[in-house]
Amino acid sequence: MPPIRITREVRQGWLSGNGIHCKCRVELVTKTVPNFEPIRTLDIWIPEKPPEGNYKLQIDGTTLEMQFKRGRWLEAVA
């Protein structure tokens, strides 16, 4: 069985959209398995539960399109 590598990082970011503009804590988890594409999941922590919809997350100089749906954060696919 090939080795599975999981890395977890916590960073600060800025979340905006749907009337929310605030600093946030972002937990990035990357699962890497040889011969497969890495799988990345993000969890965003803010003081209040956001309404469902689309958001922009700025982290480390990069802007990601995010979607909050059914209580989960998803990266928007281009």
Side-chain angles (χ1 to χ4, degrees):
M1 182 153 183
I4 298 172
R5 181 177 209 173
I6 297 173
T7 57
R8 184 175 308 233
E9 301 174 48
V10 177
R11 299 183 184 169
Q12 296 293 318
W14 183 263
L15 185 68
S16 60
N18 283 345
I20 293 179
H21 303 283
C22 64
K23 283 185 182 179
C24 61
R25 181 179 149 218
V26 181
E27 185 178 78
L28 295 145
V29 177
T30 306
K31 179 179 166 184
T32 308
V33 179
N35 302 321
F36 291 95
E37 289 290 321
I39 298 170
R40 180 170 73 174
T41 57
L42 290 110
D43 199 6
I44 301 170
W45 300 85
I46 59 175
E48 59 192 60
K49 182 179 178 184
E52 289 191 0
N54 297 318
Y55 295 84
K56 290 190 185 291
L57 172 64
Q58 293 178 335
I59 184 169
D60 296 335
T62 303
T63 301
L64 299 174
E65 297 287 331
M66 301 297 296
Q67 185 177 52
F68 187 72
K69 189 173 184 180
R70 297 183 182 168
R72 295 186 60 199
W73 287 102
L74 305 169
E75 258 187 281
V77 178

